[in-house]
Amino acid sequence: MTRLVVDDLSMRFGGITALDGLSLTIERGQICGLIGPNGAGKTTLFNCVSRIYQPDEGRILLDDLDLLSVPAHGIAAKGVARTFQNLGLFPSLNFLENTMAGAYPRGRTGFVRALTRVGVRREERTIRADAYRLLEFLELEHLAFTPAADQPFGTLKRLELARALAARPQLLLLDEPAGGLTHAEVDELAQTIKRVRDELGLTVLLVEHHMAMVMGISDQVVAMNFGKKIAEGTPAEVRQHPEVVAAYLGTRA
Amino acid sequence: MDLLIARIVDGFNNGVVYGFLALALVCVYRGTGHLNLAQGEMAMFSAFIAYALHAVGFPVVLAILGAVAIGFIAGGVVERVLIRPLGHGADYSILLVTIGLFLVLNAGAGVIWGGDPLTFPAAVPSAPDDYISFFGTRLRYQQLLILAVLLVVMTALYLLFKYTRLGLAMRVTAGNPDSARLLGMRVNQINSLGWALAAAVGALVGGLISPSTTLTTGMMFNFLIYAAAAATLGGFDSPGGAVLAGIVLGVLENLIGSYISWVGSDLKQAVALVILLGVLMVRPTGLFGTKKVERV
Amino acid sequence: MALPLEIRAGSRVDLSWRLGRVLGIVLLVVTTPYLVETFRLSQITGALILAIAVVGLNLLSGFAGQISLGHAAFFGIGAYTTGVMTVTYDYGVVTSIVAGMALCFVVGVVVGLPALRVQGMYLALVTLAVGVLLPSLIRRFDDLTGGSSGLFGMTFDAPEGITYFVGRAGQTVWLYYVTVVALLLSCLVVWNLMTGRVGRAVITLRDNEAAATVMGVNRAFVRTVVFGISAAIAGLAGSLFAVNSGVLTPETVSLLLTINLLVAMVLGGSGSFWGPVFGAFIIYFVPVWTSDLSQGPISGVIFGALVIALVFVLPGGLAGGLTSLLRRLVIVVPQPPTQGEVDQTSSLPDDLSDDPAGFEAEPTTDPEPRPAARLARR
């Protein structure tokens, strides 16, 4: 588990200020829920932390590491993993292979080793077994050899989680994990996230619209609107915060 | 000085052809958002059809117009039968289909009409003294005709795209057919129209330039590359830009080829290609192309 | 006996099936020189050379999903490097071939760099431009390359003293074996790369670039290196072509060659391991046969029509079709890792760089990157 510190982050797209001096801290092992209306800047923040965007100002620290100095493909090695709203999966591969793919940052076989076959077989077997164990953990092992296309959305979301976890991250970023799931699946997901955090020792940041789920599993909640943080605290505190209520429901006319 | 003008005019004439064919590429792009690698071969095949029509007795102008009409229909049919069923976004498959079409037309023309070059008469008087003098060079009537026709077609397309609802619809359907359908636009017809127009334009080019290039199966090979370069430089969705870029390319290539002896005639084409590569490096979607924004 | 027959991956039946296939290929390779006359053998060599080039193209376009309309350029660079080095500068053949491949790798990486910025149709144009550029350059620098008149005299002489390779027929057999070995090595390279971690990097990059990047795949590095390797393999083919045919002209490395390579790749089945070989043979021999039947380039019409038909009917090409057919007869059912292996993973370090204590469990890894259909049970 790792500590994430976002310090005074700002990002503009042309005339739009997506992030406006945002700061937040997630302590080790915490689950932090990020909520806010559409356009609040949640995804932008997410993309900054996963290094898809380069913010204009501010810092992001992973324990002591300056995350902004790491290129997009380097965050996996530093222990950051994320899921995607629209599924970052690979339809050409089956469930097991997708999960094995997620273990990429942990492997060592590069072009040279692949060609000379030094240690490749053993590493492959290790990664394969490890990925299978992860599928068992998420109760997907019966689909191990099924292509990751044409499966129910909820199942694929779990695979997405498996893929992210295969990298043995310290920080897990979940991008609207409950989107498109049924009520039962959302409950299951909530339990799974908690289990993952408890058993694997992770820090979790999740962006979510499903209020009940976020409030149910988060240790702390951060609410955003217009690129700024408008509230921060326990779920109970944030739920009642007047600005949060106003952002979602509006104010009395 | 005369030589310079002669070279500029020469390059200009080539550039006109590049721009003309580039217009066809623009039409397809406007219609379905794709690059039709077979555009040159479609033009070539249409030129042969014009030849065939002329051989059975049609006067030159009618033969060309006939080929244009046939080309128009054929273009629409190709889109309907070969492109549309592949669906939206099947870029790779469509590219392969255009390559297949390239082969079929190229080899097919060779099978039907044989491998020897054929002669196709010009649409206007083209005896050795049929020219206009221009600062010491000769502008042959045929070249002037090509230029005139190009300008007419270019203007017509420009007006079509910019000022008619159909033109706007074309731009929308190429980029986002689902939304277009929801808005009530007849996406299928518009897609076909793009291809049909392109084929017609190509047939026109083919018919007009074959007198000077002689009619062979390879005649459009080189032009396609220049046309693609012109369309990239000028913007795949801009008729005016593509034509202008074509002309600039033609002139530049000729001047550089003539005055920088290191380049010589062998590397003339390389000039256009290097320019193309250079532009794409700096602006990966072409000089005037609209940037595509992807949401993660 | 119900079809399809199910075989467990890693079982003895499976292993003997695989061994059988390998032996079959070896048998085919070794007996061919005895079964066909010399002229036919040199034709087969020509087709095999083409196959090597298609293997290279397939790595880039079929597996990595990068369009290349200019692969003939790499073929040409390999061919002319070998030609110039052996004929003009009197280097040894093997040295020239290696030099050609190295040069192709570098050029491939250089071309791959702009390919990072450019997508889809524009990538097609960039590669098209590169492919068309090469014949022009060859013509321009004709003191080096012989220009339009061509470059002559390349040979790869059989080692002396081996009676098997004596004489003209022997020379043909020698070149045949050299080519077969080169083809097998190329296929092995592609296989080694594409199964395993590197293959996952390439495939994930192709399927979903953003997800692959977030997962740690260095897009720039992987894409350019794949470009380079693909180019080097094509260069190898070019070098062998030079010594096999003895003549090089700019026309041999024109756009037409690129189109042939592309068609061969598509017909054979892009993204498959054996497709390139099928495709190359089709591309090579159909024109040979049709020229007996009719005048005119009817083979072009056939190929064009086939490509179009395949896109609609059989996108997996010949290899894809054969694999589907084979699946109706035999399915190799992949096996999950053993319980022992799985249990051991819970004590794995996060970073696998320090190889974990060895697994004692028997190997159950299924090397097929695309295992057969769904599990019958469950």
Side-chain angles (χ1 to χ4, degrees):
Chain A
M1 21 190 143
T2 190
R3 187 170 179 259
L4 179 71
V5 173
V6 174
D7 185 23
D8 203 26
L9 209 61
S10 292
M11 179 133 201
R12 283 168 287 279
F13 292 108
I16 299 177
T17 305
L19 290 176
D20 196 357
L22 183 81
S23 298
L24 69 88
T25 301
I26 311 179
E27 296 298 338
R28 290 201 172 81
Q30 271 196 336
I31 297 179
C32 175
L34 192 59
I35 63 173
N38 278 323
K42 307 187 298 293
T43 308
T44 310
L45 174 64
F46 231 64
N47 287 339
C48 283
V49 177
S50 53
R51 301 295 292 119
I52 293 173
Y53 294 160
Q54 175 73 15
D56 298 315
E57 285 154 30
R59 295 186 310 161
I60 303 179
L61 295 173
L62 207 64
D63 283 333
D64 296 323
L65 173 69
D66 175 14
L67 200 58
L68 295 178
S69 67
V70 177
H73 61 266
I75 60 169
K78 300 298 176 194
V80 179
R82 80 166 271 184
T83 64
F84 290 85
Q85 216 174 318
N86 285 319
L87 295 181
L89 292 174
F90 314 108
S92 310
L93 305 174
N94 62 31
F95 273 59
L96 185 61
E97 288 161 343
N98 262 278
T99 314
M100 285 168 76
Y104 189 81
R106 296 168 56 209
R108 240 198 117 197
T109 309
F111 282 94
V112 177
R113 285 185 117 206
L115 289 175
T116 56
R117 299 298 275 183
V118 173
V120 167
R121 208 173 170 78
R122 177 185 281 173
E123 184 182 283
E124 274 297 286
R125 287 201 339 246
T126 312
I127 292 180
R128 192 170 192 261
D130 193 55
Y132 195 79
R133 187 177 62 90
L134 209 44
L135 286 181
E136 283 179 333
F137 181 77
L138 290 169
E139 290 169 19
L140 289 172
E141 77 277 13
H142 59 288
L143 293 170
F145 301 110
T146 323
D150 304 330
Q151 289 294 314
F153 198 63
T155 312
L156 290 180
K157 283 231 145 171
R158 264 187 301 157
L159 176 61
E160 170 87 330
L161 190 59
R163 178 193 60 70
L165 291 176
R168 299 259 184 109
Q170 304 287 332
L171 172 67
L172 183 61
L173 306 172
L174 298 173
D175 192 355
E176 299 199 28
L181 296 184
T182 64
H183 284 308
E185 285 171 335
V186 172
D187 289 334
E188 239 187 273
L189 177 70
Q191 293 316 308
T192 308
I193 294 177
K194 270 203 152 144
R195 199 158 59 104
V196 158
R197 189 274 305 267
D198 296 336
E199 291 184 35
L200 299 180
L202 298 174
T203 309
V204 179
L205 171 63
L206 79 136
V207 166
E208 189 45 70
H209 282 295
H210 197 292
M211 275 313 143
M213 185 193 124
V214 175
M215 297 300 180
I217 63 170
S218 304
D219 300 314
Q220 75 158 331
V221 173
V222 170
M224 285 178 69
N225 201 6
F226 298 121
K228 294 198 196 30
K229 180 170 66 179
I230 57 174
E232 180 178 28
T234 65
E237 290 167 5
V238 173
R239 187 185 284 140
Q240 293 163 354
H241 195 287
E243 268 198 69
V244 174
V245 174
Y248 277 101
L249 298 177
T251 45
R252 277 194 196 285
Chain B
M1 191 55 183
D2 281 352
L3 200 53
L4 172 66
I5 295 191
R7 288 188 172 136
I8 292 178
V9 168
D10 217 17
F12 185 89
N13 284 325
N14 285 338
V16 161
V17 180
Y18 305 157
F20 218 145
L21 199 58
L23 271 184
L25 291 177
V26 165
C27 284
V28 166
Y29 187 77
R30 267 294 173 86
T32 53
H34 295 111
L35 170 67
N36 178 12
L37 284 176
Q39 201 70 63
E41 303 312 290
M42 287 168 79
M44 176 272 290
F45 204 83
S46 307
F48 273 92
I49 289 181
Y51 171 87
L53 288 175
H54 178 70
V56 283
F58 284 87
V60 174
V61 175
L62 281 185
I64 294 180
L65 289 177
V68 168
I70 294 176
F72 185 85
I73 297 171
V77 167
V78 164
E79 193 279 332
R80 175 73 189 83
V81 170
L82 294 181
I83 308 295
R84 196 186 302 174
L86 292 175
H88 184 69
D91 289 346
Y92 191 59
S93 305
I94 292 179
L95 195 74
L96 289 177
V97 166
T98 62
I99 291 176
L101 200 55
F102 180 104
L103 282 175
V104 169
L105 291 174
N106 185 291
V111 168
I112 298 176
W113 285 287
D116 297 319
L118 301 170
T119 43
F120 186 73
V124 290
S126 289
D129 41 336
D130 286 324
Y131 61 85
I132 295 179
S133 238
F134 181 73
F135 292 106
T137 44
R138 302 173 178 197
L139 292 178
R140 310 202 64 79
Y141 292 157
Q142 184 77 355
Q143 293 162 340
L144 291 172
L145 176 67
I146 295 176
L147 178 62
V149 173
L150 171 67
L151 289 175
V152 167
V153 172
M154 176 189 92
T155 313
L157 286 175
Y158 174 75
L159 293 174
L160 173 73
F161 292 147
K162 184 140 194 207
Y163 292 113
T164 65
R165 291 183 64 188
L166 181 61
L168 181 63
M170 284 179 92
R171 189 189 242 173
V172 172
T173 53
N176 200 337
D178 297 321
S179 296
R181 273 203 191 88
L182 290 174
L183 287 173
M185 293 180 183
R186 303 167 104 203
V187 172
N188 292 336
Q189 268 83 325
I190 290 170
N191 288 345
S192 294
L193 183 65
W195 279 73
L197 274 179
V201 170
L204 203 51
V205 190
L208 287 175
I209 69 167
S210 44
S212 40
T213 60
T214 69
L215 205 50
T216 62
T217 55
M219 68 192 248
M220 283 303 187
F221 227 53
N222 274 330
F223 288 124
L224 179 70
I225 294 173
Y226 286 113
T232 307
L233 292 175
F236 264 92
D237 36 24
S238 163
V243 168
L244 184 63
I247 292 175
V248 166
L249 265 181
V251 172
L252 261 184
E253 137 192 88
N254 209 29
L255 287 181
I256 294 182
S258 310
Y259 287 110
I260 304 182
S261 57
W262 183 83
V263 170
S265 55
D266 295 320
L267 288 187
K268 257 175 61 172
Q269 186 175 59
V271 169
L273 297 174
V274 168
I275 295 177
L276 172 67
L277 287 173
V279 168
L280 280 179
M281 284 314 95
V282 176
R283 304 203 94 215
T285 48
L287 271 181
F288 301 103
T290 36
K291 282 194 174 176
K292 285 189 168 181
V293 182
E294 297 261 348
R295 287 205 89 195
V296 173
Chain C
M1 191 175 64
L3 288 179
L5 196 63
E6 285 183 3
I7 302 179
R8 279 179 49 238
S11 63
R12 256 182 305 182
V13 182
D14 177 38
L15 292 175
S16 6
W17 169 234
R18 281 191 233 163
L19 190 64
R21 287 193 326 228
V22 170
L23 283 179
I25 293 172
V26 172
L27 203 66
L28 186 64
V29 165
V30 171
T31 55
T32 301
Y34 295 104
L35 296 175
V36 298
E37 76 275 13
T38 306
F39 177 65
R40 189 65 81 196
L41 189 65
S42 87
Q43 283 185 324
I44 291 177
T45 306
L48 290 172
I49 289 175
L50 218 53
I52 297 175
V54 180
V55 165
L57 177 62
N58 192 29
L59 176 63
L60 184 66
S61 290
F63 285 110
Q66 303 265 74
I67 303 173
S68 175
L69 293 183
H71 234 64
F74 302 120
F75 187 91
I77 292 176
Y80 269 90
T81 306
T82 299
V84 168
M85 279 179 78
T86 51
V87 168
T88 316
Y89 293 108
D90 228 9
Y91 281 97
V93 176
V94 176
T95 320
S96 319
I97 292 180
V98 170
M101 287 178 71
L103 182 60
C104 280
F105 182 82
V106 170
V107 175
V109 168
V110 168
V111 173
L113 287 172
L116 291 174
R117 283 180 61 97
V118 174
Q119 308 286 4
M121 143 176 114
Y122 294 104
L123 178 61
L125 285 178
V126 167
T127 51
L128 183 67
V130 170
V132 170
L133 217 50
L134 187 72
S136 300
L137 288 173
I138 292 175
R139 282 195 196 93
R140 172 68 184 78
F141 294 106
D142 50 6
D143 0 319
L144 188 66
T145 65
S148 304
S149 346
L151 195 61
F152 302 87
M154 288 79 61
T155 55
F156 191 179
D157 294 321
E160 315 211 347
I162 304 184
T163 45
Y164 196 51
F165 297 134
V166 154
R168 223 165 146 233
Q171 175 75 354
T172 308
V173 174
W174 161 247
L175 283 175
Y176 164 78
Y177 274 115
V178 168
T179 308
V180 166
V181 168
L183 176 62
L184 288 177
L185 284 178
S186 308
C187 287
L188 199 64
V189 163
V190 172
W191 176 272
N192 279 347
L193 286 182
M194 289 309 297
T195 56
R197 186 171 176 264
V198 173
R200 285 193 288 275
V202 173
I203 293 177
T204 55
L205 215 47
R206 178 189 79 196
D207 278 0
N208 190 331
E209 207 177 275
T213 305
V214 141
M215 221 166 63
V217 176
N218 186 340
R219 171 182 177 253
F221 183 72
V222 172
R223 282 230 160 112
T224 50
V225 173
V226 166
F227 225 108
I229 295 179
S230 157
I233 295 177
L236 173 63
S239 299
L240 289 175
F241 177 82
V243 297
N244 191 38
S245 75
V247 181
L248 282 181
T249 61
E251 280 70 42
T252 40
V253 296
S254 66
L255 185 60
L256 200 60
L257 175 64
T258 296
I259 291 181
N260 277 339
L261 294 178
L262 265 171
V263 174
M265 182 184 82
V266 172
L267 290 184
S270 60
S272 80
F273 290 101
W274 287 110
V277 180
F278 296 140
F281 270 84
I282 296 175
I283 281 282
Y284 190 92
F285 280 106
V286 167
V288 170
W289 295 329
T290 57
S291 68
D292 302 330
L293 292 176
S294 76
Q295 288 290 87
I298 199 156
S299 58
V301 179
I302 296 177
F303 289 143
L306 271 178
V307 167
I308 294 176
L310 274 179
V311 167
F312 285 95
V313 171
L314 203 62
L318 209 64
L322 280 177
T323 312
S324 302
L325 257 157
L326 206 63
R327 286 222 189 106
R328 296 217 192 143
L329 300 171
V330 176
I331 293 185
V332 178
V333 177
Q335 296 301 300
T338 64
Q339 197 55 45
E341 281 184 325
V342 174
D343 291 337
Q344 275 184 298
T345 61
S346 47
S347 59
L348 280 179
D350 286 351
D351 181 357
L352 294 172
S353 305
D354 329 306
D355 286 336
F359 272 153
E360 300 310 316
E362 59 176 1
T364 55
T365 313
D366 176 11
E368 306 278 319
R370 276 174 161 266
R374 295 142 203 269
L375 287 174
R377 294 165 269 286
R378 294 186 146 133

